[in-house]
Amino acid sequence: MRKLLLNLLFISFLLCFVVAAGYDISKGRYYPELAGLGNTGVAGYLVPNAVQLNPANLAHYNGWNNYWYGATLENDLSHNDFTMSLKLFDVSFGLSYIYQNLGNIPNTGLYSGRIRQNGSFSEYITQTQLHTATQLTNLPLLKEFDIGASVGLQKYSFMSDQDLFYRFGSVFSFDLVPDLYFGFLLNDASEAKQMNYGIQYKQPKYKIFIDNGDKGIAGGAEYSLSNMLSVRGGIDKDFLGLGLGLIYDKLYFFGKEDMGLGIDYTVQIPLDKYPFETQHLLGITVREQDKLPIPFLYKYPPYTNKRFANVVGWSLRDTNVQVFYKDVLIDIVKVNQNGNWEAKLPLNSELNDFHFKAIQKGPRKESLASKKYRIIVDQIPPDFRFDAVVNSDAVSVDVYPTEMLADAPFVYELNRLSYFNKNKYSFESEFDNIYDGFILRLNDYAGNESIIGIEEPFIRFSAPNQQLVVTYKDSYQFIGNAGIYHNLTVKNLRNLFEEAIPLTGKINTTFKPIISLEYGYNNVVFTDKLPKGNVRYNYSFYRLFNYKDINDREIDLLATCYVLPKSQLLEPLKRVREQELVKWVYSLMVLNSLSSARECSVDEAYDYVLKNRIVSKREDLRYISRGEAIDLLSRVFGYVLYDTHIHSKYFDNINTDHPYIKSINYFVEKGFINIEGRYYDPEVIITRQELIGWLKESPYFIKLLKEIEEE
C-alpha cells in the first residue's frame, strides 16, 4: 500500500508536465495564519495550512488537519476556502475547494485577472485541488527533504470546461544548519513567475519567514506567548499584516484527548490606500494533534557477535526516545541539540526486534511507532564447502560459505582476494601452487572470523600427462596416487561407464583403473569426494577410427568425425559420386569442434547446396569430375577467388576462357594441385584420394587440427 501511494505521488509529477495548462488566479488569497505572516510560507515546515504556498508543507504533519475561512475582500469579492488533509503511512494527501464570487463588474484594474483573453468576464470561479507530499530520509548532508505536488481544476462562470493547473515543490534543511529550512515552488507554466523561493528559521518559541513569491519579497514572524497563544506580523508589497493565533488542544476525539481547535485572526492594512481596503480575516482549524516525527536509526549493526549493540539514531531535538524490545519498553534516552541519540541495546536472543517512539513531555506529544529494526546475534564463525576442477595444470576453486560474508575470502597461499558472484566465491591457480592445500580467511557480517586450511586435497596423475589424448585404443589405463581419505569414482560421460576406485593402502595407494573408450570424443571425469568438498579431474580422449587399407592419421580423424564413412576399407582410388561429394563437404563445413561432431544425412547436405544454388539439381549417383569438385569446394568453403590471376595459364591444355579457370588457378596458387606435368585434365572423374587431399587443406580441417594441438 505504501509503495502504491508513493507511485501515485510520482505519477502526479509526470502528469503535471504532460497535460497541465491553466490559470491559477485564485492563488494569493491565503488562510489568515499566513496572511498575518505577510503571505509567506514557501518553506512552511510543520505548517500544514501553508499547503497553497507549497504542497510539500504537508509532508511532516503526522495527523489530519481541516481549515475553513470566508471573507469579503475589497468590499466586493466573496472568498471561501475549505482544505482538509490526512496522512496514510508516510504519504500525506490534501483536498481543497475554493470559491470566489463577484456580483458586480469592477471599475478598477484590481480584478483584471478575471478578464479572459476573449474579453469575457467571470462572475465566479471554483477551484478544486488535490495535494500530495512525502518525506525522503537518509539522504547525504540533508536533515529533512520533503516533496509535494498540487494538481487543480479551475472553472469560470462563462465556460463549460475546466482548466488544469499544477504546482509542486520541496522543503529541506541541511545537517550543518538544522534550524534553517529552505523551500521552493514550481508554478504552472501559465503563471507569470515560474519559481517561488522561501526560507524559515525555526526555534521552539519563534519562527521567521522570508519569501520571494508572486508578489515579490515578503517577510513575517511568529512568536509563541504560550502553548495556546501566538502573535504574528508580516509585510508584502500590498499589505502590513498583524494577527493572533489561538489553539486549544484539549478536545476529545474518539475517547482520546488528541484533537485541537485553532482560531486565527489577521488584520491586513494596505500600504497604498487605493484600490485596497483594510481587511479583517478570520479562519478556523480543526486538527488532530501533530505527532512528533518518527525516530529512526541510521547506525546500527544488523548482525553482531556481541550481546549488546550500540546504535545511533535521529529524532526531533529536545525530545526523548522510548526503546521497545519485543514490544516491551526497556529504556528512555534523551535526544541532544543536534537531533541525535544513542542507546546500548541488550541482545538476549538470536533474533532481536526493536522499535522506537519519540515523546515530548511539555506539549504532551508523541510519535507513531517506528518500523521494527532487527539485530541478529551470530557467534558461530563462518565455514565453507568447495568445488574444485582440475584441468591439466590449472585449478579453479568455487567456495560456498555457510552464510553471507562481509567480504570475499582471502586466499593465503595466493596472497590475494577471490572474486565472487552472489553466494559463490572463486579463485584460480596453477596446480603446483596449491597441490599441498590452501588456507582461507573468512569474515561474516557479525564480525566472526575463521581461518580454515584444506590439506592435500588434490591427486597427481602420472598418466595421462596431457589434457587431450588422441588414440586408436579401445581403452586407456590411468595411473595415479592418492591418500586413503580420498573417495574416488571415475566416469566416462560418452558411454556412461562408471566405477568406484578402492584405496586400500595404509597411507597412499597407487591406482590404475582401465577405462573403455568409444569412437570419437570421450570425456572422462574423476570425482573425489572430500570431507569439505569435491574435486573433479577432467580428461578428454579422442579414439580414432582406423581404415585397414591406408595408414593416414588425418584421414582416420575425418572418418571419426563423421565426414568420411566408417567402413573397414577406404578404397582411395574409388571414383566419387555426387552424393558422396555433397555429404562429405557439408559434414566438414558444419563440424565446429571434436566434441560436437555428428553424422549428417545426405538429404540434409542436399538441402543446403540446393538452397544456396551450389548445385542446380540432385543427381546422387552421377560421377563427379575434377573441375566440378573444385567448383563445389570453392563455393561451399567460401574460397576468395577475386585475387586469383585469371589470365595466368598454368596448364597447356587449359585456356583462360575455361569455365572453371578461377577455381583451378586458385587451387594451383594455394598448392592444392601440382603443376609439374604442365597438363591437367579437369574432366577426369575425381578419386576419393584426390578429393580427401583437398578436404585436408580446407580451413575447417585446419581449425580441427589446431584444436587438437592446443589441447
Side-chain angles (χ1 to χ4, degrees):
M1 182 64 179
R2 176 180 177 274
K3 289 184 178 180
L4 175 62
L5 297 176
L6 287 173
N7 288 336
L8 290 174
L9 171 62
F10 294 126
I11 290 172
S12 68
F13 288 158
L14 180 61
L15 289 176
C16 291
F17 284 111
V18 174
V19 301
Y23 301 85
D24 184 13
I25 61 174
S26 292
K27 213 172 127 191
R29 307 299 181 184
Y30 300 119
Y31 184 73
E33 177 185 4
L34 309 176
L37 295 170
N39 291 318
T40 61
V42 175
Y45 176 77
L46 285 179
V47 184
N49 287 347
V51 63
Q52 299 290 347
L53 282 161
N54 190 343
N57 292 329
L58 286 180
H60 258 83
Y61 195 81
N62 293 299
W64 53 264
N65 182 83
N66 301 328
Y67 76 76
W68 171 87
Y69 89 98
T72 300
L73 307 174
E74 289 87 38
N75 299 321
D76 294 305
L77 179 64
S78 175
H79 181 90
N80 290 271
D81 185 350
F82 174 78
T83 296
M84 61 180 297
S85 63
L86 75 159
K87 194 161 195 174
L88 298 177
F89 300 98
D90 54 358
V91 181
S92 298
F93 290 92
L95 180 66
S96 297
Y97 178 77
I98 299 172
Y99 177 80
Q100 289 184 358
N101 182 52
L102 186 63
N104 298 316
I105 298 178
N107 297 319
T108 69
L110 178 63
Y111 305 106
S112 58
R114 290 176 174 269
I115 306 298
R116 303 287 286 175
Q117 293 180 358
N118 58 9
S120 299
F121 179 80
S122 181
E123 295 185 2
Y124 68 86
I125 298 175
T126 60
Q127 190 181 98
T128 305
Q129 300 179 28
L130 176 64
H131 318 283
T132 181
T134 190
Q135 312 167 31
L136 303 180
T137 58
N138 298 332
L139 297 178
L141 304 179
L142 293 173
K143 173 177 171 286
E144 309 285 354
F145 192 83
D146 302 340
I147 58 174
S150 292
V151 181
L153 290 173
Q154 187 164 264
K155 187 179 186 306
Y156 299 86
S157 61
F158 54 81
M159 293 179 62
S160 59
D161 297 330
Q162 301 185 72
D163 285 337
L164 176 69
F165 67 92
Y166 75 92
R167 297 189 290 268
F168 82 89
S170 176
V171 177
F172 56 91
S173 66
F174 294 96
D175 289 329
L176 295 177
V177 282
D179 298 322
L180 191 62
Y181 294 87
F182 301 86
F184 74 85
L185 177 78
L186 178 64
N187 284 311
D188 187 274
S190 62
E191 295 288 334
K193 187 167 186 177
Q194 291 296 295
M195 189 76 74
N196 295 352
Y197 306 91
I199 60 173
Q200 175 193 179
Y201 182 70
K202 187 177 186 301
Q203 291 293 316
K205 296 290 289 184
Y206 65 89
K207 308 171 187 174
I208 299 175
F209 298 86
I210 299 177
D211 283 6
N212 182 4
D214 300 313
K215 296 183 178 181
I217 302 295
E222 177 181 285
Y223 184 81
S224 297
L225 299 175
S226 67
N227 292 335
M228 297 178 62
L229 184 62
S230 299
V231 294
R232 308 182 184 104
I235 187 171
D236 61 20
K237 73 170 187 175
D238 296 327
F239 291 100
L240 171 68
L242 300 172
L244 294 173
L246 178 66
I247 181 72
Y248 182 74
D249 59 359
K250 294 181 173 58
L251 299 178
Y252 285 83
F253 186 70
F254 287 110
K256 294 182 179 180
E257 188 182 310
D258 62 355
M259 194 172 75
L261 175 66
I263 300 176
D264 294 283
Y265 169 76
T266 292
V267 56
Q268 285 189 315
I269 302 170
L271 299 179
D272 183 357
K273 184 70 175 177
Y274 180 82
F276 301 106
E277 300 287 345
T278 300
Q279 299 178 1
H280 300 272
L281 308 177
L282 182 67
I284 298 175
T285 300
V286 180
R287 66 177 55 157
E288 180 186 12
Q289 287 302 310
D290 177 34
K291 299 176 178 63
L292 294 175
I294 298 174
F296 62 86
L297 294 181
Y298 61 81
K299 185 179 179 181
Y300 74 99
Y303 303 89
T304 183
N305 57 3
K306 299 178 175 58
R307 284 300 174 183
F308 286 91
N310 294 314
V311 301
V312 180
W314 178 91
S315 183
L316 196 66
R317 69 178 188 173
D318 297 328
T319 60
N320 294 325
V321 174
Q322 295 177 326
V323 181
F324 293 85
Y325 176 61
K326 295 185 177 180
D327 299 325
V328 177
L329 179 64
I330 61 170
D331 196 8
I332 299 178
V333 295
K334 186 171 180 58
V335 181
N336 63 24
Q337 290 293 318
N338 296 321
N340 297 321
W341 56 274
E342 300 179 4
K344 188 174 184 179
L345 305 180
L347 307 175
N348 300 326
S349 60
E350 182 179 351
L351 302 178
N352 302 273
D353 292 329
F354 297 89
H355 71 270
F356 309 94
K357 279 186 178 182
I359 58 173
Q360 195 173 49
K361 292 183 178 179
R364 305 185 329 280
K365 289 183 179 181
E366 70 174 29
S367 73
L368 298 174
S370 72
K371 72 174 187 179
K372 287 194 175 182
Y373 295 86
R374 171 165 288 183
I375 300 178
I376 299 175
V377 176
D378 176 13
Q379 296 180 322
I380 301 174
D383 201 350
F384 72 91
R385 290 187 58 79
F386 75 94
D387 286 334
V389 178
V390 179
N391 290 304
S392 188
D393 295 330
V395 181
S396 62
V397 181
D398 294 332
V399 177
Y400 300 91
T402 55
E403 58 182 295
M404 292 289 293
L405 300 181
D407 50 39
F410 187 82
V411 189
Y412 279 93
E413 277 64 23
L414 305 180
N415 197 31
R416 62 182 172 87
L417 289 168
S418 56
Y419 61 90
F420 72 96
N421 177 18
K422 295 184 179 179
N423 297 326
K424 180 181 76 174
Y425 300 78
S426 304
F427 65 91
E428 297 178 351
S429 172
E430 293 183 2
F431 182 79
D432 290 337
N433 290 344
I434 60 171
Y435 169 71
D436 293 327
F438 55 90
I439 301 174
L440 293 182
R441 184 186 70 205
L442 300 91
N443 296 280
D444 63 16
Y445 283 102
N448 301 303
E449 180 181 272
S450 59
I451 299 176
I452 302 174
I454 304 297
E455 296 183 3
E456 299 181 354
F458 301 110
I459 297 172
R460 283 195 185 274
F461 287 84
S462 56
N465 55 12
Q466 70 257 27
Q467 188 67 29
L468 175 64
V469 178
V470 180
T471 180
Y472 284 103
K473 297 179 180 180
D474 60 359
S475 63
Y476 188 87
Q477 184 175 37
F478 286 81
I479 302 176
N481 188 274
I484 59 175
Y485 56 86
H486 290 274
N487 184 7
L488 273 175
T489 58
V490 61
K491 185 176 184 179
N492 185 348
L493 302 181
R494 176 66 184 276
N495 57 15
L496 302 181
F497 168 86
E498 183 176 6
E499 72 175 15
I501 299 176
L503 302 173
T504 57
K506 293 182 179 180
I507 299 177
N508 290 322
T509 297
T510 299
F511 55 90
K512 300 179 180 180
I514 298 175
I515 311 302
S516 62
L517 302 175
E518 300 292 326
Y519 284 121
Y521 187 80
N522 294 260
N523 186 13
V524 178
V525 179
F526 284 83
T527 302
D528 187 8
K529 295 183 178 180
L530 298 172
K532 294 190 74 64
N534 300 321
V535 181
R536 289 190 298 116
Y537 302 83
N538 292 330
Y539 291 95
S540 299
F541 291 83
Y542 209 76
R543 181 187 169 191
L544 295 177
F545 181 82
N546 186 21
Y547 285 113
K548 303 300 183 182
D549 56 346
I550 62 167
N551 184 18
D552 190 315
R553 189 183 179 94
E554 292 182 350
I555 293 179
D556 291 339
L557 178 60
L558 285 171
T560 309
C561 294
Y562 301 101
V563 175
L564 301 180
K566 288 186 175 70
S567 57
Q568 289 189 352
L569 301 177
L570 176 62
E571 300 178 274
L573 300 180
K574 187 176 181 180
R575 294 182 298 176
V576 177
R577 297 182 185 273
E578 184 185 88
Q579 65 174 0
E580 293 175 318
L581 172 65
V582 170
K583 182 177 183 297
W584 296 357
V585 172
Y586 177 78
S587 299
L588 183 57
M589 184 193 69
V590 298
L591 179 61
N592 294 320
S593 64
L594 292 174
S595 59
S596 65
R598 64 181 181 88
E599 185 169 8
C600 300
S601 67
V602 175
D603 291 338
E604 181 182 352
Y606 266 113
D607 287 343
Y608 175 82
V609 296
L610 289 171
K611 180 180 178 181
N612 290 276
R613 299 181 180 179
I614 297 172
V615 298
S616 58
K617 62 180 179 178
R618 180 170 177 172
E619 298 177 272
D620 293 41
L621 302 180
R622 184 175 66 87
Y623 289 112
I624 297 296
S625 68
R626 285 173 171 174
E628 291 174 323
I630 291 173
D631 182 65
L632 188 141
L633 264 64
S634 299
R635 291 168 177 264
V636 174
F637 292 156
Y639 291 147
V640 180
L641 307 179
Y642 301 110
D643 297 331
T644 304
H645 298 88
I646 61 173
H647 299 295
S648 299
K649 186 176 179 181
Y650 295 108
F651 300 103
D652 295 338
N653 63 314
I654 300 179
N655 295 322
T656 56
D657 59 351
H658 193 280
Y660 299 137
I661 186 63
K662 272 193 174 184
S663 300
I664 292 173
N665 284 0
Y666 180 88
F667 273 51
V668 170
E669 293 168 7
K670 294 298 181 181
F672 302 166
I673 298 177
N674 191 341
I675 62 173
E676 292 180 358
R678 301 298 297 173
Y679 180 84
Y680 187 77
D681 188 357
E683 305 301 326
V684 172
I685 302 302
I686 192 170
T687 64
R688 287 185 172 185
Q689 183 175 4
E690 188 174 10
L691 174 60
I692 292 172
W694 293 344
L695 295 180
K696 289 162 60 177
E697 297 293 341
S698 72
Y700 297 96
F701 188 72
I702 293 173
K703 174 186 173 184
L704 197 65
L705 294 179
K706 187 176 180 180
E707 177 187 348
I708 296 175
E709 182 181 349
E710 290 176 350
E711 294 193 20

